[in-house]
Amino acid sequence: TRLSFQFYEEKSKEKFTMSKKSKVFFVETRNGEPLASLAEKVKRLYDAAGLGSIIKKGDMVAVKTSFGEKGNIGHLKPPIIKAAVDKVKLSNGKPFLVETNTLYVGQRSNAIDHLMLAHEHGFTIENTGAPVIIADGLLGEHNYIVDVDNGLCKNAYISGVAKASNVIISIAHVTGHLAAGMGATFKNVGMGLSARGGKLAQHSGVIPQIISKNCTTCKVCQTWCPSNAITMEDNTAVINPEKCIGCGECLAVCQFSAVKIAWDEDTANLQKKVAEYCLAILKEKREKAAFFNFLTHITKHCDCMDEPFEPDIADIGIVVSRDPVAVEKATIDLINKHTGKDYFRHIWPEIDYTVQLNHAHEIGLGNLEYDLEN
């Protein structure tokens, strides 16, 4: 399905950016704080930010978080997510936990293994009060194409569930990131709710390539290709670069690791694309979304890593806002104040992580000016 957003038409120049400062709500946390206490603070923040007002009776509410890669210990735990689920239910919404499959090979690259890992990490209906839905299908093939033409991205391949849900509540764990410098709300929404084709577009600037020795000429990629860009020649699939639209369907459906990803997108473009995807996903939900950032167990690497990283700094707190840019800016300011330095630039000196923040503001995703209510 294709939905066209003419971002630069006069009629569509309404932006998230507000004339006055955005509101960000903050509560402090401490090292070793019990999960029950953190859960209560989520509920307090939910009420303080008035999030019940964005949910109508019967709204299907996507609670977006990460279940963490196998072996990771820093991801947010089920009782924290359950607190938000409980509040959504009191607001007469229908909450569900949502994630998408990863590009890289691991325990979350397909819906079956992903769901098994989520359950292994405790994200069951019994523990959270809500089902888990993998938003982009079995292999990442369930997407919705949005025409954006908003800078670097011409089309955005967002997950079908991101499109279909009525409300999005993002609950992100703030960490460093090896490609973007910092990972929080933008990554959780822009990358985390895109389909596999969207992740490919964000990470790679070229057409996928076929590894001939792995190709079995099963023709599944050819069948799924929406632009008829794939043919079978000399016992291997071949991608026509003039027809390929970079959607990533071939990557999603290939079961033999015969599609190669070029991880060659430079960090500035990656960050800008993540922000643009965030805008595409939230375009229809500007009044129906909220964003939590957890400034706890902060590590150099993100929760996609399958290692038990210990935190680099002491826990700081939790912030929430209905403005995704303001919540990211407040997060950065709080961490820098706490550490006495530009923390993310210190841990990733070769990456200018502020590109994502500034670009998000420039394209109208939100406001850099905010008032912090403690």
Side-chain angles (χ1 to χ4, degrees):
T1 310
R2 188 175 293 269
L3 178 65
S4 178
F5 290 137
Q6 301 299 325
F7 281 118
Y8 293 106
E9 284 186 0
E10 209 53 47
K11 183 178 179 181
S12 300
K13 283 189 176 178
E14 302 171 43
K15 298 190 174 184
F16 287 113
T17 308
M18 307 167 193
S19 58
K20 59 182 181 179
K21 294 181 180 180
S22 296
K23 292 291 295 183
V24 179
F25 300 85
F26 169 66
V27 63
E28 293 182 352
T29 61
R30 63 183 186 278
N31 286 356
E33 188 164 346
L35 287 173
S37 176
L38 295 175
E40 285 302 313
K41 289 180 177 180
V42 168
K43 293 180 179 181
R44 284 168 53 194
L45 286 169
Y46 183 102
D47 290 336
L51 301 191
S53 66
I54 69 176
I55 300 172
K56 294 181 180 179
K57 184 176 182 180
D59 273 353
M60 291 181 286
V61 182
V63 179
K64 172 64 179 73
T65 190
S66 171
F67 308 131
E69 192 55 72
K70 188 176 181 66
N72 176 268
I73 62 173
H75 62 275
L76 301 178
K77 304 304 185 290
I80 292 170
I81 309 305
K82 184 179 186 300
V85 167
D86 289 345
K87 295 300 293 186
V88 169
K89 288 180 178 178
L90 290 174
S91 301
N92 295 311
K94 296 181 178 181
F96 61 94
L97 311 188
V98 63
E99 250 287 34
T100 57
N101 295 312
T102 61
L103 274 181
Y104 59 83
V105 177
Q107 293 296 308
R108 298 185 297 148
S109 61
N110 67 77
I112 297 172
D113 292 338
H114 203 158
L115 287 169
M116 293 297 291
L117 180 63
H119 282 223
E120 183 180 324
H121 283 180
F123 293 93
T124 63
I125 293 178
E126 292 77 14
N127 289 342
T128 66
V132 174
I133 296 177
I134 303 302
D136 57 345
L138 186 63
L139 297 166
E141 77 289 345
H142 182 204
N143 63 31
Y144 193 92
I145 304 173
V146 179
D147 292 337
V148 290
D149 195 14
N150 196 41
L152 294 175
C153 297
K154 305 303 180 184
N155 300 306
Y157 301 89
I158 70 174
S159 62
V161 173
K163 163 63 180 173
S165 60
N166 303 116
V167 180
I168 294 175
I169 295 179
S170 167
I171 306 180
H173 177 219
V174 180
T175 66
H177 190 270
L178 58 83
M182 167 190 172
T185 287
F186 295 159
K187 177 176 178 289
N188 194 44
V189 176
M191 193 178 294
L193 283 176
S194 62
R196 183 160 295 188
K199 293 182 177 68
L200 175 63
Q202 291 171 58
H203 284 90
S204 177
V206 300
I207 301 300
Q209 301 295 315
I210 300 295
I211 304 174
S212 297
K213 65 179 182 180
N214 293 345
C215 181
T216 65
T217 61
C218 65
K219 298 184 180 181
V220 172
C221 61
Q222 185 179 39
T223 301
W224 278 84
C225 180
S227 60
N228 297 317
I230 301 177
T231 56
M232 299 296 150
E233 301 175 14
D234 298 326
N235 297 318
T236 185
V238 176
I239 299 176
N240 184 336
E242 295 182 359
K243 290 185 177 181
C244 179
I245 60 175
C247 67
E249 291 285 3
C250 53
L251 175 69
V253 300
C254 181
Q255 296 294 293
F256 303 100
S257 300
V259 182
K260 178 183 178 180
I261 306 169
W263 299 96
D264 61 352
E265 187 62 280
D266 70 72
T267 180
N269 282 348
L270 170 67
Q271 292 182 61
K272 290 178 180 179
K273 288 179 180 180
V274 171
E276 290 174 16
Y277 262 76
C278 203
L279 181 63
I281 289 165
L282 297 173
K283 178 67 176 180
E284 293 182 313
K285 299 178 175 67
R286 63 177 60 196
E287 301 298 332
K288 303 279 282 183
F291 313 93
F292 287 84
N293 273 353
F294 268 71
L295 287 66
T296 59
H297 200 103
I298 297 174
T299 58
K300 178 177 180 178
H301 294 285
C302 70
D303 295 336
C304 296
M305 298 294 182
D306 58 353
E307 296 184 37
F309 294 111
E310 294 298 327
D312 291 336
I313 59 177
D315 290 356
I316 300 171
I318 313 166
V319 288
V320 66
S321 178
R322 291 171 61 180
D323 181 334
V325 175
V327 81
E328 298 283 71
K329 183 62 165 62
T331 294
I332 293 167
D333 291 344
L334 284 164
I335 291 175
N336 289 351
K337 180 180 179 180
H338 177 79
T339 61
K341 59 189 174 186
D342 190 337
Y343 172 74
F344 292 110
R345 195 177 297 277
H346 174 75
I347 60 174
W348 293 105
E350 68 277 19
I351 300 174
D352 181 4
Y353 72 93
T354 64
V355 169
Q356 57 189 302
L357 188 71
N358 293 326
H359 188 64
H361 174 65
E362 289 169 4
I363 63 175
L365 182 57
N367 197 352
L368 288 171
E369 298 294 325
Y370 65 91
D371 284 320
L372 188 70
E373 183 169 324
N374 194 331

